Amino acid sequence: MAGLTASQGTALAAQTADSNPAAGGIRGQVTDPSGAVIPQATVVVRDSAGSVAGKTTSDNGGGYAIHGLRPGKYSVAVTAQGFASYSEAGIAVAGGQMKNLNPALTIAVEKQEVQVQAENTTIGTGADENANAVIIKGSDLNSLSDDPDELQNELQALAGPSAGPNGGEIYIDGFTGGQLPPKSSIREIRVNQNPFSAEYDRLGYGRIEIFTKPGTDKIHGGIQFAGNYSAFNSENPLLNGSPEPSYYSYFGHGNVGGPINRFSSYFVSGFGRNQENVNIIKALDPAAISNGNTLNPPSLNEAYSFPTYFFVVSPRVDIQLGKLNTLTVRYEFNRWHTTNSVGGAYSLPSQGTNEDDQENEVQASDSLILSRNLVDDIRFQYRRVRDGSSSVSSLPSYSLQQQFTAGGNSQQSDQDNEDNFEFQNYISGAYGAHSLNFGTRLRMYHDVNTTTGGSNGSYSFANAANFVGCLSNPPAASCKPIRYTYTQVNNPLARATMFDAALFYQDDWKVNPRLTFSYGLRWETQNRISDKSDWAPRFAFAYALGRGSGKKPAKTVVRAGYGWFYNRFTVPHGFGSSEPYIITPIHNNGTNLVQYIQSGNIVFNANQTTPLTPSTGSAGTGINAPTKYTIAPNFKAANDMEAAVGVDRQITKAMTGNVTYVFSQGVHQFFTDNLNAAAEYPLADAKAGIYPTTIPNAPPENNLQYQSGGFYKEHQVMVTFRANYRKFSFFTNYTYSNARGDTSGMGSVPTVSSDPGLDYGRTTFDVANRFMLFGNFMLPWKISVSPMLMANSGTPYNIVTGDELTGNNQFNARPTYARSCSESGAFSTAYGCLNALPYGYGAQSGSGATLDPSAVGEPIIPYGIGTGPSNVSVNMRLSKVIGVGPKLGEGQHGASGGGGFHGGPHGLGGGGLSGNRGGPGRMDQEAARKYSLTFSAWATNILNHENLGTPSGAMSPSLDQNGNLKLSQYFGESQTIAGGFFHGPSAGNRVITLEAAFNF
């Protein structure tokens, strides 16, 4: 509920006429050429500055009314599906006067063109009218992918990067979490609106709000089928000519909506996808290395299949309980099943897992009119998530960092059951020039997790030379693992209940036609951490420069805002995700799951069906360090402090632009630290960024503690343009970012436990340049073309030696800047001469090795100095709509597959889950006939650009057969394809999908 932007909130804001005798209004009845009334027409009233002064929808009798208008001149725009738009300007409203206006809409001629949305082509001072926001509906919505996974990638590209490390949130009918619904059930999408509203947890940049369709007054629906086959696509570039098995992907979805009776309607959608995809291996061959080939070991460059299946069905019912009450209930069921899935290109097939994830979701909303000035939205959501996975092998895992991982997957079996409850009570109202929003949100997550993870044992190697002879029977003396990890499962069960609550108040005060001042306050709390009270103030203003009157509103608006935004310790992770943070400390409390780390004299056995355990003494005689996880006693919610200033500009009548600068500073950011690690590591050396003279010993036990002492700073410049013309529209954004910090999330472990600041450097979200262009064009023969271009600079990555040199039981020690490339262990790289062996060849954790005299005092390289390859991809969609069947008569609506619910109290629209968040209305592209056929071709990465993932940062030097040191074969090389928008739905580099749809 972002301000009073929706029909219900705006209409209620208008009901202050009785309390403000000087206020006036506009009312009337919307009809078609025959005089028949048109229900559910959208009526928008704008003041002389171009700002939305009122918005509502016509009721079942075609009537509408907007009150609370100050004396002055206004313009009225009316739209309804199947009819040409209507507009009239210069309507003078006097104090206390109700002006009558009865719009008569004409039937839309048969056409297929880009729909121009008035709210997308002008600027204003409203809190939700920032020019870098975008509203997606109509033909622009049709231009996006019909696959929910690809649709999410495209929406995140449209939204651009969020400030800070946590990314933007996705809301579905007001709730976060859950699976994106099929596109056929989506009514409207809003991106980046009202970024500093106190209603939301996070800053609005990157926020995506999705509103689903209600039913209609007549039966409408559609069915669609789509698919692609490997013969259509280009080969995956990682294969380098290796044979690729055939694969395919096809999906279908359908929807139908209509009336139940005169007071209720329904809408049902379903989607199913069957995909035979392939995993790509780009890893070193462990058998060849074991046989002694460390000079140039062959790669395993192969592809093997892993099928996936996804299904979702979602019915929705809207019920008008009275003139003042609208009830909406929506249910959704999802199931996701994968077979033989692996987590990376250097993971061999034995690392595969089988997964089965299910989710049941119920959402209910009751929209109540409490008084002339207040509307109360009461919402409830229940999500039942059941995620299960099992490994295909129970043999021990063994790996050479970022070069190969073989044996059984360390995950073994995992079953996670979540029951999530959320209650919202949001109230919107108006008092004079103030648009008010306030309310509460309560959430509870109950999680039960069962796991045997780590019970198969895991061996780690520092370099290829230490793996020679490991696969012989028995293993040769040259086989020297650097670490062995084993988890003893005493109690596989962990359960936890998380609770958080929030209160907020927001006031968008229209001080005068040129100035809107917004202020708000949010308070949050949660259990399981010591931090129980977090206050989040929010401030923003929008000021119109110059003079605007009548039909010439001001062309420039200056905006600025500041606010605090908190990230909770645990939030629902969404469909198909892992358990929340709290479960790990419960599992690994030193009793339930006891993890042991051995760092010396390790006996390797890749075929050991019964894991070697410290309790039997057969795992060697080195240190067996038990490991547990804890939460810091002073743990706080992460706080992102954001400030922004920008300028909106009306460039032409149809084009707007925006430039915004955003500064973000994060405190109390999350990371994990080993409290027992290397107490003898000299703090002075850490502050100086050098290694001590002797490798610190590994601790006798490991306390991996969740902490909140991280910090980051980020500078961003965002530039956006958008335009809507009769035959084409486009939206483009560019973002420059510069982000530095000492953590990139809870998975970050400091190189030196006593000084996390040693890792201050480029963060993983420090992508310098991002550019996106989304267009919708109409070609001859009424063929719609919708390109989307996305380009990114390279992603930062960390460069490590591949060894454990700081006593923290991690492999994240970084090399030093060598004084000379002729130095032993030094290598010439794109980032300078780097010394990957500051303690000499073969140094291992706890070995007591001393620093090579030539390396004494060499500075440790900064964190994150590596930069991955830049990526660029163009997706393209071609579609043609063909109207079939009888032509529409007067007052008839065309094929749309769903639309606005023709009910609701006078002047308020349908309310419910989405009716009061942007107004109703059918959004599908249509032809002016009873039925329509749509044929589409959709391609990802149409230019066939090789978009590669983050390279390997592990140097891992080893001796070859000639006794010479050489770097890891994959150092600085990408072993994966870039994810998200840059990789299509199948294994091919360029993927082409064909689609056909029928709507009625």
Side-chain angles (χ1 to χ4, degrees):
M1 184 171 61
L4 296 178
T5 61
S7 59
Q8 185 173 3
T10 306
L12 282 176
Q15 307 244 1
T16 58
D18 291 348
S19 60
N20 183 5
I26 300 175
R27 65 186 175 191
Q29 187 178 53
V30 184
T31 62
D32 67 12
S34 67
V37 299
I38 301 177
Q40 213 65 20
T42 301
V43 182
V44 179
V45 176
R46 293 181 180 270
D47 60 22
S48 59
S51 299
V52 175
K55 186 174 181 181
T56 188
T57 52
S58 57
D59 60 16
N60 287 339
Y64 74 94
I66 294 180
H67 302 269
L69 302 180
R70 295 181 175 184
K73 289 188 176 182
Y74 295 87
S75 62
V76 176
V78 184
T79 56
Q81 187 175 17
F83 296 89
S85 60
Y86 171 96
S87 63
E88 185 167 339
I91 302 171
V93 176
Q97 178 191 26
M98 285 299 295
K99 193 80 170 184
N100 287 315
L101 179 67
N102 298 315
L105 276 57
T106 59
I107 300 295
V109 297
E110 181 178 340
K111 60 183 178 179
Q112 179 187 349
E113 63 181 36
V114 174
Q115 300 296 315
V116 177
Q117 305 297 334
E119 62 264 42
N120 275 359
T121 55
T122 59
I123 63 174
T125 59
D128 60 345
E129 295 180 296
N130 47 302
N132 50 6
V134 60
I135 300 174
I136 307 168
K137 56 185 178 182
S139 55
D140 282 343
L141 180 59
N142 291 338
S143 303
L144 299 175
S145 174
D146 294 291
D147 185 304
D149 293 338
E150 289 306 302
L151 175 61
Q152 180 167 327
N153 291 333
E154 292 176 345
L155 291 178
Q156 289 172 333
L158 279 165
S162 177
N166 299 294
E169 288 186 304
I170 298 178
Y171 288 80
I172 302 171
D173 284 330
F175 296 97
T176 57
Q179 175 71 27
L180 246 64
K183 195 182 77 175
S184 61
S185 67
I186 296 176
R187 176 175 60 82
E188 181 177 304
I189 300 172
R190 297 184 173 229
V191 177
N192 296 342
Q193 268 201 332
N194 202 354
F196 288 94
S197 172
E199 178 183 345
Y200 301 96
D201 302 82
R202 300 181 188 172
L203 184 69
Y205 301 122
R207 183 196 307 137
I208 299 167
E209 297 176 88
I210 296 173
F211 307 107
T212 59
K213 292 178 181 177
T216 58
D217 60 337
K218 295 182 180 179
I219 295 179
H220 290 282
I223 189 169
Q224 180 179 28
F225 295 97
N228 75 74
Y229 184 65
S230 55
F232 298 169
N233 309 328
S234 62
E235 188 178 77
N236 192 297
L238 294 179
L239 286 173
N240 295 325
S242 299
E244 184 173 20
S246 61
Y247 58 88
Y248 61 83
S249 176
Y250 61 84
F251 63 82
H253 62 87
N255 65 89
V256 62
I260 299 174
N261 54 42
R262 59 179 297 192
F263 300 110
S264 60
S265 66
Y266 70 93
F267 185 85
V268 182
S269 66
F271 176 91
R273 180 181 63 210
N274 197 340
Q275 191 170 26
E276 183 74 22
N277 216 334
V278 296
N279 285 315
I280 307 294
I281 302 175
K282 188 177 181 180
L284 295 185
D285 185 352
I289 299 175
S290 177
N291 291 333
N293 186 354
T294 61
L295 175 62
N296 197 15
S299 292
L300 294 173
N301 197 208
E302 304 171 358
Y304 60 94
S305 64
F306 79 99
T308 66
Y309 170 77
F310 174 65
F311 172 76
V312 56
V313 60
S314 178
R316 165 177 166 156
V317 176
D318 296 84
I319 304 172
Q320 196 68 42
L321 300 178
K323 291 184 178 181
L324 305 179
N325 194 347
T326 302
L327 176 67
T328 300
V329 179
R330 177 175 172 264
Y331 169 76
E332 184 170 293
F333 171 77
N334 294 283
R335 185 184 180 191
W336 181 288
H337 183 81
T338 63
T339 302
N340 203 30
S341 174
V342 297
Y346 44 82
S347 296
L348 274 60
S350 61
Q351 284 281 300
T353 61
N354 301 325
E355 300 180 12
D356 189 88
D357 305 326
Q358 298 184 33
E359 177 179 325
N360 291 270
E361 179 179 280
V362 177
Q363 295 178 343
S365 173
D366 195 5
S367 184
L368 302 169
I369 298 180
L370 302 179
S371 70
R372 292 180 179 272
N373 300 322
L374 292 176
V375 171
D376 188 3
D377 284 328
I378 302 172
R379 300 181 175 195
F380 174 78
Q381 175 180 262
Y382 167 64
R383 293 178 60 230
R384 180 181 184 271
V385 183
R386 300 294 184 264
D387 297 341
S389 66
S390 59
S391 301
V392 299
S393 171
S394 60
L395 291 176
S397 170
Y398 52 96
S399 63
L400 180 57
Q401 190 176 22
Q402 298 181 25
Q403 296 178 71
F404 70 78
T405 302
N409 195 303
S410 295
Q411 179 177 300
Q412 291 301 289
S413 65
D414 188 277
Q415 178 66 44
D416 192 65
N417 298 342
E418 289 186 25
D419 292 281
N420 302 328
F421 303 85
E422 182 170 347
F423 172 80
Q424 300 174 0
N425 191 1
Y426 292 169
I427 298 174
S428 59
Y431 181 78
H434 298 266
S435 297
L436 307 175
N437 297 286
F438 52 94
T440 184
R441 184 194 68 190
L442 308 175
R443 297 190 299 195
M444 185 181 76
Y445 326 121
H446 181 67
D447 191 89
V448 179
N449 182 267
T450 304
T451 183
T452 60
S455 60
N456 59 325
S458 177
Y459 298 92
S460 299
F461 293 84
N463 52 63
N466 287 343
F467 192 74
V468 173
C470 286
L471 297 184
S472 59
N473 189 15
S478 57
C479 178
K480 296 178 180 179
I482 192 174
R483 188 171 70 176
Y484 175 71
T485 303
Y486 165 72
T487 299
Q488 180 177 309
V489 180
N490 298 321
N491 179 7
L493 179 66
R495 65 178 72 230
T497 299
M498 301 291 294
F499 176 83
D500 69 67
L503 298 170
F504 77 92
Y505 172 83
Q506 178 73 26
D507 180 7
D508 297 323
W509 175 22
K510 197 171 186 64
V511 181
N512 58 52
R514 296 173 59 182
L515 174 64
T516 297
F517 176 68
S518 301
Y519 63 95
L521 184 64
R522 185 178 182 89
W523 176 80
E524 298 180 6
T525 186
Q526 75 165 92
N527 67 340
R528 292 284 184 174
I529 61 175
S530 62
D531 183 15
K532 294 293 190 292
S533 183
D534 297 313
W535 294 93
R538 315 280 172 84
F539 302 96
F541 75 86
Y543 181 74
L545 301 179
R547 295 183 177 180
S549 62
K551 298 181 179 179
K552 296 182 179 179
K555 293 186 176 181
T556 304
V557 174
V558 177
R559 293 179 177 273
Y562 177 78
W564 289 12
F565 301 83
Y566 289 94
N567 293 283
R568 307 298 351 141
F569 175 59
T570 298
V571 296
H573 283 226
F575 183 69
S577 299
S578 60
E579 63 272 5
Y581 296 132
I582 187 64
I583 290 297
T584 300
I586 296 175
H587 271 313
N588 297 275
N589 61 357
T591 302
N592 294 339
L593 302 181
V594 183
Q595 184 186 74
Y596 295 94
I597 298 178
Q598 184 177 346
S599 53
N601 301 318
I602 302 168
V603 178
F604 178 81
N605 189 338
N607 299 311
Q608 184 72 38
T609 56
T610 302
L612 302 174
T613 68
S615 60
T616 63
S618 59
T621 59
I623 297 175
N624 297 321
T627 301
K628 65 179 179 179
Y629 282 76
T630 59
I631 301 172
N634 60 344
F635 194 95
K636 296 180 179 296
N639 183 2
D640 300 326
M641 295 176 283
E642 320 271 6
V645 59
V647 177
D648 299 344
R649 175 69 179 177
Q650 189 80 41
I651 300 172
T652 67
K653 183 179 180 181
M655 182 183 295
T656 62
N658 166 269
V659 178
T660 298
Y661 166 73
V662 181
F663 173 74
S664 305
Q665 179 171 287
V667 297
H668 306 307
Q669 302 297 301
F670 301 156
F671 65 93
T672 304
D673 201 2
N674 189 342
L675 295 188
N676 297 112
E680 67 270 27
Y681 196 110
L683 189 58
D685 288 350
K687 297 296 184 184
I690 61 176
Y691 285 115
T693 56
T694 303
I695 297 179
N697 291 319
E701 64 178 11
N702 297 282
N703 179 3
L704 294 173
Q705 187 176 90
Y706 290 157
Q707 297 189 357
S708 57
F711 176 81
Y712 77 87
K713 282 186 178 181
E714 182 178 23
H715 303 270
Q716 292 178 303
V717 178
M718 304 175 181
V719 181
T720 63
F721 293 95
R722 68 180 175 208
N724 283 312
Y725 297 95
R726 183 175 180 273
K727 290 294 184 179
F728 73 93
S729 66
F730 72 85
F731 176 79
T732 182
N733 65 50
Y734 164 80
T735 303
Y736 166 79
S737 295
N738 180 287
R740 299 292 184 269
D742 56 18
T743 176
S744 292
M746 192 68 85
S748 297
V749 180
T751 305
V752 177
S753 63
S754 58
D755 186 25
L758 184 63
D759 291 347
Y760 188 84
R762 297 175 64 199
T763 64
T764 55
F765 54 93
D766 179 39
V767 179
N769 300 285
R770 291 181 173 94
F771 177 78
M772 187 283 307
L773 173 64
F774 172 53
N776 192 354
F777 302 85
M778 190 60 61
L779 297 181
W781 301 291
K782 298 180 180 178
I783 296 175
S784 174
V785 181
S786 304
M788 179 179 283
L789 164 67
M790 185 72 184
N792 278 6
S793 299
T795 301
Y797 66 95
N798 199 26
I799 295 178
V800 297
T801 65
D803 209 339
E804 201 290 279
L805 306 178
T806 64
N808 65 355
N809 267 319
Q810 306 291 318
F811 292 99
N812 59 356
R814 302 192 295 277
T816 60
Y817 283 118
R819 292 185 175 89
S820 169
C821 278
S822 61
E823 195 175 294
S824 176
F827 297 88
S828 178
T829 72
Y831 307 101
C833 291
L834 304 185
N835 188 348
L837 299 171
Y839 289 96
Y841 179 72
Q844 295 185 21
S845 173
S847 66
T850 58
L851 192 66
D852 189 310
S854 62
V856 171
E858 288 182 344
I860 300 172
I861 68 170
Y863 187 94
I865 66 168
T867 300
S870 59
N871 298 131
V872 60
S873 183
V874 178
N875 292 358
M876 183 78 73
R877 183 185 180 97
L878 300 177
S879 63
K880 169 67 177 177
V881 178
I882 302 173
V884 295
K887 288 186 177 181
L888 296 178
E890 292 184 347
Q892 292 181 288
H893 300 297
S896 70
F901 168 48
H902 287 193
H906 179 77
L908 289 177
L913 285 170
S914 55
N916 66 338
R917 298 292 196 275
R922 299 181 179 88
M923 302 304 159
D924 289 342
Q925 192 177 28
E926 64 175 293
R929 291 180 180 268
K930 189 173 183 180
Y931 310 104
S932 70
L933 289 169
T934 303
F935 298 96
S936 304
W938 168 57
T940 61
N941 193 19
I942 194 170
L943 300 180
N944 202 31
H945 185 267
E946 291 188 3
N947 292 302
L948 300 177
T950 304
S952 168
M955 300 183 75
S956 301
S958 60
L959 292 171
D960 60 24
Q961 291 93 326
N962 300 322
N964 298 319
L965 278 172
K966 62 183 292 290
L967 287 177
S968 160
Q969 186 166 320
Y970 289 131
F971 174 68
E973 183 177 339
S974 297
Q975 296 169 266
T976 60
I977 294 294
F981 184 88
F982 298 106
H983 187 211
S986 296
N989 196 49
R990 176 180 55 226
V991 178
I992 298 175
T993 301
L994 303 179
E995 303 178 357
F998 172 74
N999 289 311
F1000 60 90

